[in-house]
């Protein structure tokens, strides 16, 4: 299942982040039928900068585009990114990218209320895109970057988090460049 697809929507979805300017081709194949392609773009450098220990809020309106935030990893200590919502009727999705534009985490699901990601010390700048799970939802997501502990480990694949049945959320650790 696609954690960024709309609940109950059987449409296919592909999300790509193109870092460099240029000309790209998209080849669509399969059975005969009609295709609708939607492209979303945003200006480079439009991310809101997160400062350590200062909470920020993404106020998400129905139909709005994902909001972009960025933060720098601490060069000496691990950095923890916390995302949460206090509205039990609102769920969000978040995509985290490293400084090279590679997606390193995808957080989402119909029960996601909070998640923590730990980043290893380094010089990387990370970007976080936050949006509602369903386009007709409205709510707020709190983002907080704070010092962490430990050294961090490399995940085998970008993690997708969903709370466990007891409502605790697994916490992956992301390495920094």
């Amino acid at each position: 299942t696609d954690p960024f697809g709309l609940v109950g929507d059987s449409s296919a979805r592909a999300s790509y982040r193109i870092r460099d300017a240029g000309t790209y081709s998209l080849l669509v194949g399969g059975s005969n039928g009609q295709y609708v392609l939607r492209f979303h773009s945003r200006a480079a450098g439009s991310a809101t900068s997160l400062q350590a220990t200062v909470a920020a809020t993404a106020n998400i309106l129905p139909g709005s585009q994902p909001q972009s935030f960025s933060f720098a990893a601490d060069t000496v200590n691990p950095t923890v990114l916390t995302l949460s919502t206090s509205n039990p009727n609102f769920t969000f999705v978040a995509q985290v990218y490293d400084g090279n534009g590679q997606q390193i985490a995808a957080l989402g699901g119909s029960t996601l209320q909070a998640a923590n990601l730990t980043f290893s010390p380094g010089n990387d700048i990370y970007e976080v895109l936050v949006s509602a799970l369903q386009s007709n939802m409205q709510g707020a997501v709190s983002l907080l970057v704070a010092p962490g502990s430990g050294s961090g480990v490399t995940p085998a694949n970008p993690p997708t988090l969903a709370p466990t049945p007891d409502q605790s959320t697994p916490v992956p650790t992301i390495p920094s460049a």
Side-chain angles (χ1 to χ4, degrees):
T1 61
D2 179 3
F4 300 102
L6 301 178
V7 173
D9 183 3
S10 62
S11 301
R13 175 185 162 127
S15 296
Y16 293 96
R17 180 174 185 228
I18 300 173
R19 186 165 186 223
D20 297 321
T23 301
Y24 295 86
S25 298
L26 176 65
L27 176 63
V28 179
S31 62
N32 293 336
Q34 296 180 345
Y35 298 93
V36 175
L37 302 176
R38 293 186 181 111
F39 296 92
H40 300 280
S41 64
R42 61 185 171 80
S46 62
T48 299
S49 180
L50 298 173
Q51 303 304 314
T53 70
V54 177
T57 302
N59 290 307
I60 300 169
L61 300 174
S64 65
Q65 293 296 313
Q67 293 184 31
S68 178
F69 297 85
S70 65
F71 67 93
D74 187 289
T75 58
V76 177
N77 299 303
T79 302
V80 176
L81 169 66
T82 300
L83 300 113
S84 63
T85 183
S86 59
N87 182 343
N89 298 317
F90 176 74
T91 51
F92 65 92
V93 293
Q95 296 171 317
V96 181
Y97 296 89
D98 66 14
N100 294 318
Q102 297 297 310
Q103 183 177 6
I104 59 171
L107 313 172
S110 62
T111 59
L112 181 64
Q113 293 287 297
N116 294 312
L117 295 173
T118 302
F119 299 81
S120 296
N123 295 317
D124 221 345
I125 305 266
Y126 294 94
E127 180 180 24
V128 184
L129 297 179
V130 181
S131 61
L133 177 63
Q134 295 178 324
S135 65
N136 64 343
M137 296 180 115
Q138 179 173 339
V141 176
S142 175
L143 298 94
L144 179 67
V145 173
S149 60
S151 61
V153 296
T154 303
N157 294 304
T160 299
L161 299 184
T164 57
D166 66 352
Q167 295 302 309
S168 63
T169 302
V171 181
T173 302
I174 309 298
S176 180

